[in-house]
Amino acid sequence: MEKNLIEALQWRYAVKQFDPTKKISPEDLQFILSAGNLMPTSYGLQPFRLVVVENPELKEKLVEHSYGQRHVADNTYLIVMAVRTDINEEMVAEFTHRIEQIRQLPAGAVDGYKKVMVGDLTNRTPEARRIWAQKQAYLALGGMIAAASEKGIDNHCLEGFNPDRYDEILGLSERNLHATVIMAIGQRSEADESQHQKKVRVSEDQMIIRL
Ligand SMILES: Cc1cc2nc3c(=O)[nH]c(=O)nc-3n(C[C@H](O)[C@H](O)[C@H](O)COP(=O)(O)O)c2cc1C
């Protein structure tokens, strides 16, 4: 059932127990992934990838590296948002080449922009580059939460997991990726008590500071 965004955000909650008999369709998954890909990022560089884990054995292996949280396995799809670890001149060149191709520009047309990006990013420490990439991934995550919730698709985000073990199990390091945050999607179980709990948020008067 489609909802307006505010209704959808009231309806959604961090699902603790998915109903394993109710599956999310591949089309609905695609909708969420498309939202993630369309979200804006700093410079437009999209320094992350959306890794979709459907394989039940693989998901099962992840549970013990996620503080035993069962919803890591008991979902229809687990989306692992992984940041690129190769944030370098080549990655920027890959991006500017894509701009030239898509916008049918002559080679070198965006070299000025490339120089700015390379100068900025390569001046940062590897740790600072990772933090920058993670911010972009979280922004996309926000869009994906909104997209899923508007479509009435239950979701739960987690950062309570061991990223290094995820990298190993999912073969992310070989792809120059590092697991950052995950989103499990599925359908809430009727037995999940959390759905009846009231939302806890600061009041809008506290949240919004008008100057
Ligand atoms: C980025 C992120 C990471 C989270 N990590 C976990 C987690 O590891 N385990 C967990 O049980 N809940 C996790 N949560 C769920 C939050 O605790 C939950 O969203 C918050 O308490 C608000 O409740 P609500 O989503 O039900 O409105 C996470 C949420 C977000 C957005």
Side-chain angles (χ1 to χ4, degrees), residues 12-14 16 69 138 141 156-160 181 199 201:
R12 74 149 290 286
Y13 72 103
K16 303 288 185 307
Q69 301 188 84
Y138 273 79
L141 176 69
H156 185 155
C157 305
L158 293 104
E159 44 188 20
V181 62
K199 277 227 171 296
R201 298 290 191 269

Side-chain angles (χ1 to χ4, degrees), residues 3-11:
K3 303 166 176 54
N4 78 38
L5 185 58
I6 297 299
E7 285 166 357
L9 294 176
Q10 298 275 14
W11 167 85

Side-chain angles (χ1 to χ4, degrees), residues 37-85:
N37 189 37
L38 280 167
M39 288 300 286
T41 54
S42 175
Y43 293 124
L45 270 164
Q46 297 184 285
F48 58 86
R49 292 293 178 259
L50 308 174
V51 182
V52 181
V53 188
E54 201 181 341
N55 180 322
E57 288 99 62
L58 218 41
K59 287 196 283 191
E60 205 56 51
K61 277 192 200 162
L62 298 174
V63 174
E64 66 169 302
H65 305 295
S66 317
Y67 300 94
Q69 301 188 84
R70 280 298 321 162
H71 37 291
V72 164
D74 301 337
N75 51 59
T76 312
Y77 302 104
L78 187 71
I79 305 169
V80 178
M81 305 191 67
V83 291
R84 290 183 63 158
T85 53

